[in-house]
Amino acid sequence: MSDAVEYKNCSKSECEVAKSGACAEGHQPLESCRFYGKASERDDSFDDDFQNASEEGDLDSGEGDFIDLPSGETLDMAKVDEFLRWRPIRLITIVGERDSGKTTLICSIYDQFLRGPFASYRFAGSRTLIGLDRRHYYSRADSGLSSPDTPRTSLADGIRFFHFAVIREDEQNARTDLMLSDRAGEKYRQSRNKTDVVSELVEVSKADKLVLLLDGARLANPAERANAFNSVRQTLRAFLDGGALARDTHVQVVTTKIDRIEIQPESEKEEIYRFLGDFKERLFENFKDRVTKLSFFEIAARDPDRKLPLAFGLDQLFTSWVDEIVQPTPTTGIHKFSLQSEFDMLLVRTPMEVVL
Amino acid sequence: MSDRLYHAIIGLPESGKTTFLAALWHLIEAGEVTTQLALDRLDGDREYLNKIADCWRRCEKVPRTSGAGETDVSIWVHEPATGRQAKLGFPDLAGESFERQVATRKCRKTYIDDFDGNGGVMLFLTADRPQDGATLLDMAPMWEGEESQSDEMKEWTPSCIPQQVQLVELLQFLQRPPFRRVCRRLAVIISAWDVIAEPRPSPEVWLNRELPLLHQFLLSNGASFNFRVYGVSAQGGNLGEAKGTLLKKTPSERVECVGDGVQPHDLTAPIHWLMEGG
């Protein structure tokens, strides 16, 4: 790196990117870090305040003659809960190691809708268009990059959600609202090692579909293969053992970057798919009594060699999120709750007509 | 008043609003062709309007409205058969305030007030604009064999957002508070319609092909937007090659407006359709 390069400040006090050129969050390129180039903590808090103030029912008057409008950025859990008070959602929790393709998968869905209807669904809106575009930009020609990239999700971002509202092409009114989660892979790695981290993963316990990403690029590498399988198996086990996963959550194991397997010589490719087949069988056997539904998908969101079509296999996965109705497991009896306070007892004393 | 409607005009910079206004002003003032609406009066800068209409009549490029000279213009029109009146408001001919809305996530209170009534919306976009939003993988076949471009990453800014995404955002704003939630008539005006190669598709087919996200959004949000798509060539052709031919025509007959049941030169047809919904 030339001495002439000047790095910008970071609003995080512990990050020394301005001096060293290295982002404390590990972002590369540096501009993909949301804290990079911000002069002070104050700038960042303004950003958050702006976002917080701009969602449904929370619109404040701006300065003087101006009114704040919704931010269009990704949503946090509180905003998703707020949204839920307005409309039902399908919560799709996407879990994977760092660089397994979580954000790329989401960007690819956005990319497909920019081109037209996708998987027989039409785009009906998004609360997070700006968040989507901000990430999709690094795959576009005007980004100045020579090959597509996706900014890494920072550990400091916590859990964020991307929103897509869609309607089947052959219907007029049956709108489905999907919330797709995005969290740094490091957090999921931690959750495999520490049970108490699992309980922090609110997106897992609330998931309608739990998508576990199996990194195809790592499967193509014999030295990484076993660890890639292990990561998925252990993550599922940790979520189940930690009591985070509801019994009726559908678990989907999605092998990403299948293009990295497809470019291998025929004999190696066969071997990888044999390993993958064995892994699926064992996973099914090991967890069939603990998971209501376990299914497998293979995708290549963005094959850089263009041997596979764009968003290969993603249509089936997307359709499964929207089409399949998630039926809650019937409860075996009425949940009994105790009435203890005087306020609770008021409920018992009040005559009520119950309509069933 | 229920028989006085305010129709708002939305459009990003250089989407054809000023040229449309220049041609419309001439059309309804000169009475050279049959139109569905007649002029009542004008609110705003008449000098500016006459200046752009002069340019338009001379087949000169109508000067783009600059942000500094932001001009609010309103034209009052009425439907001769029924006497119904409507006000057509061009709150920002430059279009920069719309771009700013997407970038800064703020708008003026007066903009929100404009959408309080039962009027419709004219959404401008232009056919004479290079396609944006192409991905590196889309471009790869064209770059094959060339030296790979060096990594000189440009930071994302709101100006990088593709046109169709910005337009969807502008419409999504209207669906949520503080805007009044109501089903609005929306006339999508594709300006510079003459640049589209023959055989020309219908305006809606073109919209579906060129701005598919916007088209999907409109199809999916029938409860918020009852839309029609119009192709408009307010100049009537290319001001370079076709200028001589255009100058020989009666000015109002240069205008081309394409849409369902529209007379070929009647620029007031989209406004008339908006009025029917009020």
Side-chain angles (χ1 to χ4, degrees):
Chain A
M1 196 62 73
S2 150
D3 288 339
V5 175
E6 282 185 20
Y7 297 106
K8 294 180 188 170
N9 287 320
C10 176
S11 63
K12 290 184 78 68
S13 53
E14 69 272 23
C15 180
E16 296 189 334
V17 65
K19 289 181 198 162
S20 64
C23 172
E25 297 277 352
H27 284 282
Q28 197 57 252
L30 296 173
E31 285 77 4
S32 63
C33 176
R34 64 194 287 253
F35 303 110
Y36 184 67
K38 298 212 171 154
S40 66
E41 291 287 349
R42 195 172 151 270
D43 285 352
D44 187 49
S45 62
F46 169 77
D47 200 32
D48 285 343
D49 288 345
F50 193 62
Q51 179 159 321
N52 291 341
S54 53
E55 291 304 327
E56 185 81 54
D58 195 19
L59 289 150
D60 295 331
S61 289
E63 290 162 26
D65 196 26
F66 286 91
I67 301 287
D68 288 340
L69 296 167
S71 76
E73 299 287 358
T74 53
L75 307 175
D76 60 17
M77 196 72 232
K79 294 294 171 203
V80 172
D81 284 340
E82 244 173 57
F83 187 94
L84 256 171
R85 291 201 285 274
W86 177 54
R87 293 185 66 86
I89 60 164
R90 297 275 169 87
L91 201 148
I92 314 298
T93 297
I94 303 172
V95 173
E97 294 265 334
R98 178 179 161 177
D99 291 333
S100 58
K102 297 184 291 297
T103 315
T104 304
L105 189 159
I106 295 166
C107 285
S108 293
I109 294 169
Y110 174 63
D111 183 83
Q112 289 300 301
F113 281 122
L114 288 177
R115 296 163 190 274
F118 173 54
S120 302
Y121 284 90
R122 276 198 314 256
F123 173 84
S126 171
R127 291 287 173 94
T128 59
L129 264 189
I130 301 301
L132 285 163
D133 199 74
R134 196 187 277 281
R135 287 153 181 87
H136 180 256
Y137 170 70
Y138 298 97
S139 67
R140 295 208 293 261
D142 55 350
S143 69
L145 293 171
S146 57
S147 57
D149 198 3
T150 307
R152 272 191 58 219
T153 306
S154 151
L155 196 56
D157 287 336
I159 179 71
R160 312 299 302 179
F161 294 87
F162 293 90
H163 171 234
F164 289 97
V166 296
I167 291 181
R168 267 195 78 88
E169 275 190 286
D170 51 6
E171 289 178 29
Q172 281 301 314
N173 299 313
R175 166 177 160 148
T176 305
D177 287 272
L178 293 174
M179 292 285 179
L180 312 186
S181 78
D182 190 28
R183 190 198 272 277
E186 288 84 346
K187 190 75 176 176
Y188 294 122
R189 177 181 275 271
Q190 288 171 13
S191 74
R192 288 198 278 132
N193 301 325
K194 292 182 183 173
T195 311
D196 55 341
V197 175
V198 174
S199 61
E200 294 171 22
L201 306 174
V202 286
E203 71 275 23
V204 176
S205 56
K206 295 187 177 196
D208 291 309
K209 307 271 183 186
L210 178 75
V211 180
L212 297 172
L213 299 190
L214 176 59
D215 188 341
R218 292 178 74 197
L219 296 190
N221 178 353
E224 287 290 321
R225 190 176 303 148
N227 279 333
F229 287 136
N230 185 55
S231 160
V232 169
R233 186 173 51 244
Q234 279 198 350
T235 302
L236 181 55
R237 195 183 298 282
F239 289 172
L240 288 165
D241 293 351
L245 202 56
R247 179 77 173 80
D248 48 22
T249 304
H250 292 181
V251 177
Q252 300 178 315
V253 176
V254 177
T255 308
T256 59
K257 305 176 202 168
I258 206 79
D259 48 289
R260 298 301 90 194
I261 300 174
E262 286 294 312
I263 56 167
Q264 301 301 317
E266 206 56 41
S267 60
E268 284 179 41
K269 203 162 76 176
E270 272 178 29
E271 189 183 67
I272 296 167
Y273 281 122
R274 186 170 51 76
F275 274 113
L276 183 58
D278 292 347
F279 168 75
K280 289 176 185 176
E281 270 181 35
R282 277 198 303 276
L283 198 74
F284 182 78
E285 279 305 313
N286 290 343
F287 294 100
K288 65 181 179 194
D289 298 329
R290 303 181 72 186
V291 172
T292 304
K293 187 171 177 186
L294 181 63
S295 49
F296 298 90
F297 296 84
E298 284 158 12
I299 65 167
R302 192 174 63 196
D303 177 9
D305 300 323
R306 292 176 288 120
K307 298 246 170 26
L308 293 177
L310 269 177
F312 175 79
L314 202 51
D315 51 348
Q316 285 177 33
L317 181 63
F318 186 82
T319 305
S320 78
W321 296 344
V322 192
D323 274 357
E324 289 175 16
I325 296 164
V326 183
Q327 297 283 6
T329 309
T331 49
T332 49
I334 296 168
H335 177 64
K336 290 181 181 172
F337 53 94
S338 60
L339 303 175
Q340 292 169 339
S341 71
E342 280 304 309
F343 187 79
D344 290 341
M345 296 309 288
L346 185 66
L347 181 75
V348 179
R349 293 186 200 117
T350 308
M352 284 189 292
E353 191 176 320
V354 178
V355 180
L356 292 173
Chain B
M1 279 165 67
S2 61
D3 59 346
R4 281 187 168 193
L5 298 168
Y6 179 87
H7 301 304
I9 279 69
I10 296 179
L12 297 171
E14 298 191 75
S15 55
K17 297 186 296 299
T18 308
T19 311
F20 180 92
L21 178 61
L24 179 71
W25 180 235
H26 173 86
L27 209 72
I28 55 179
E29 205 193 30
E32 294 164 344
V33 292
T34 309
T35 56
Q36 295 187 60
L37 298 175
L39 172 70
D40 274 351
R41 64 185 168 87
L42 168 84
D43 288 341
D45 189 345
R46 186 178 289 263
E47 188 186 340
Y48 170 73
L49 207 52
N50 284 334
K51 188 176 137 197
I52 59 171
D54 281 351
C55 286
W56 178 83
R57 279 187 284 266
R58 284 198 297 267
C59 288
E60 288 171 3
K61 191 169 162 45
V62 173
R64 187 177 162 257
T65 319
S66 74
E70 224 170 68
T71 314
D72 283 2
V73 177
S74 298
I75 297 178
W76 290 88
V77 290
H78 75 272
E79 193 179 24
T82 62
R84 291 192 79 195
Q85 247 191 341
K87 182 183 175 188
L88 198 59
F90 290 77
D92 166 31
L93 280 170
E96 282 158 12
S97 72
F98 300 109
E99 207 171 38
R100 270 200 307 273
Q101 255 187 57
V102 177
T104 64
R105 325 302 290 181
K106 288 173 190 289
C107 72
R108 285 188 184 278
K109 283 177 185 159
T110 49
Y111 179 75
I112 294 165
D113 296 342
D114 287 346
F115 289 91
D116 254 2
N118 293 324
V121 180
M122 289 177 86
L123 178 74
F124 278 79
L125 52 98
T126 177
D128 193 13
R129 189 178 197 271
Q131 197 180 25
D132 54 8
T135 67
L136 287 156
L137 292 181
D138 293 332
M139 301 302 287
M142 281 167 257
W143 291 341
E144 241 161 24
E146 290 178 22
E147 245 178 70
S148 66
Q149 64 172 43
S150 58
D151 265 355
E152 283 181 30
M153 198 197 74
K154 294 169 206 147
E155 200 173 343
W156 181 92
T157 64
S159 65
C160 303
I161 302 172
Q163 178 192 211
Q164 60 168 343
V165 180
Q166 293 194 52
L167 294 174
V168 168
E169 272 293 71
L170 287 171
L171 295 178
Q172 286 197 138
F173 287 149
L174 302 180
Q175 292 180 300
R176 298 174 60 190
F179 292 92
R180 185 167 159 245
R181 292 183 195 194
V182 63
C183 184
R184 297 180 168 91
R185 282 204 174 194
L186 177 84
V188 179
I189 308 293
I190 304 167
S191 66
W193 186 247
D194 53 277
V195 304
I196 295 167
E198 299 281 2
R200 287 185 195 151
S202 74
E204 186 165 353
V205 168
W206 184 90
L207 184 73
N208 178 42
R209 191 182 71 199
E210 301 296 327
L211 291 94
L213 190 84
L214 176 63
H215 188 240
Q216 291 173 78
F217 176 81
L218 292 172
L219 285 174
S220 303
N221 285 278
S224 299
F225 302 107
N226 174 7
F227 77 101
R228 276 195 188 177
V229 189
Y230 298 87
V232 167
S233 172
Q235 288 286 15
N238 185 307
L239 295 183
E241 298 156 13
K243 187 171 177 176
T245 318
L246 291 172
L247 280 169
K248 287 178 187 159
K249 291 184 177 177
T250 304
S252 300
E253 289 178 358
R254 280 164 29 202
V255 171
E256 188 186 359
C257 184
V258 179
D260 278 350
V262 176
Q263 293 296 314
H265 311 300
D266 188 3
L267 269 192
T268 68
I271 308 161
H272 183 256
W273 177 71
L274 293 181
M275 281 176 77
E276 285 177 353

